Amino acid sequence: MLTNKDILDEKCKILRQVSKEVEFPLTKEDKKNIDLMIEYLTNSQIDKLAKKYDLRPGMGLSAVQLGVLKRYLVIVHEQEIKETFKTYVVINPKITSHSEEIIYVDEGEGCLSVNRDVEGIVKRFARVTVEGFDIDGNPIKIRAREELAIAFQHEIDHLNGILFIDRIDKKDPFKGADLYRSI
């Protein structure tokens, strides 16, 4: 089982490196990491389990956050029915199209690798299409909106060595807040 200590902190230099494309078939280690990421993200969003195992709540993780420089990510997205989740595992993800509309998270983005509150807005596309592969190497295409679109952009940024804090204007953290829609 993953714990908060297994997730690299923002000070770790590996988080600033670009992850490498994954070759198929996946290794046993990659499959195990994916299972651990799904378990952590699911448990972290169920209050009782998050308290029991002392997990910080999160909906996405990229392999690099575990110290693995490979292009894969997991997103566990809570659905409208509480404690019901849809799980996305994408290998070699790419954003192939996006909306013109820009949004941001009203209370600010968070990250399991950034263990502090960070003020400011991160401008993201309201809708994205993500293409990649499932764990068996089959092509997949996901159309994501709003919160889910933000999660995919955030995790793909990780694979490119970018943290959300890099996208906040240092001189004016709330620059543009009046120009874009918050969610």
Side-chain angles (χ1 to χ4, degrees), residues 52-64:
K52 180 179 178 180
Y53 298 117
D54 188 31
L55 305 175
R56 292 181 58 221
M59 68 181 282
L61 271 170
S62 293
V64 66

Side-chain angles (χ1 to χ4, degrees), residues 123-178:
K123 296 175 271 194
R124 303 283 191 187
F125 297 112
R127 293 172 301 287
V128 295
T129 300
V130 177
E131 293 185 41
F133 300 90
D134 67 14
I135 60 170
D136 297 315
N138 300 309
I140 54 174
K141 180 190 250 184
I142 300 160
R143 288 189 174 88
R145 310 175 62 243
E146 309 277 323
E147 180 183 55
L148 185 58
I150 288 172
F152 273 109
Q153 292 167 82
H154 179 109
E155 297 310 325
I156 290 171
D157 271 357
H158 273 301
L159 299 177
N160 293 320
I162 300 166
L163 297 177
F164 83 95
I165 54 179
D166 302 334
R167 295 195 177 275
I168 296 173
D169 186 305
K170 305 291 181 259
K171 293 187 178 100
D172 185 359
F174 295 94
K175 183 179 182 179
D178 54 335

Side-chain angles (χ1 to χ4, degrees), residues 2-145:
L2 285 181
T3 67
N4 295 332
K5 292 181 192 91
D6 297 313
I7 299 169
L8 298 182
D9 183 77
E10 65 180 296
K11 295 174 194 84
C12 189
K13 293 193 183 338
I14 196 170
L15 290 173
R16 297 311 191 153
Q17 296 181 38
V18 176
S19 297
K20 294 178 178 32
E21 292 277 314
V22 175
E23 292 183 15
F24 289 95
L26 292 182
T27 65
K28 283 183 184 165
E29 181 186 348
D30 289 330
K31 287 180 181 178
K32 181 180 177 203
N33 284 338
I34 288 167
D35 288 343
L36 289 169
M37 292 159 81
I38 292 168
E39 178 186 42
Y40 180 98
L41 294 169
T42 303
N43 291 347
S44 79
Q45 293 180 71
I46 299 171
D47 291 339
K48 187 172 73 176
L49 294 176
K51 284 185 182 120
K52 180 179 178 180
Y53 298 117
D54 188 31
L55 305 175
R56 292 181 58 221
M59 68 181 282
L61 271 170
S62 293
V64 66
Q65 291 177 274
L66 303 182
V68 178
L69 278 170
K70 292 186 176 180
R71 295 186 79 79
Y72 61 84
L73 61 82
V74 173
I75 293 174
V76 176
H77 188 223
E78 188 166 17
Q79 304 299 288
E80 289 185 24
I81 300 168
K82 189 158 175 57
E83 295 185 2
T84 304
F85 304 94
K86 180 155 173 65
T87 299
Y88 300 89
V89 176
V90 187
I91 316 296
N92 298 331
K94 289 182 177 59
I95 295 173
T96 56
S97 67
H98 59 79
S99 63
E100 287 187 26
E101 183 186 12
I102 302 292
I103 60 174
Y104 65 93
V105 180
D106 191 39
E107 65 273 7
E109 276 188 38
C111 179
L112 292 170
S113 290
V114 178
N115 296 303
R116 60 190 172 97
D117 287 332
V118 179
E119 296 228 322
I121 65 166
V122 180
K123 296 175 271 194
R124 303 283 191 187
F125 297 112
R127 293 172 301 287
V128 295
T129 300
V130 177
E131 293 185 41
F133 300 90
D134 67 14
I135 60 170
D136 297 315
N138 300 309
I140 54 174
K141 180 190 250 184
I142 300 160
R143 288 189 174 88
R145 310 175 62 243

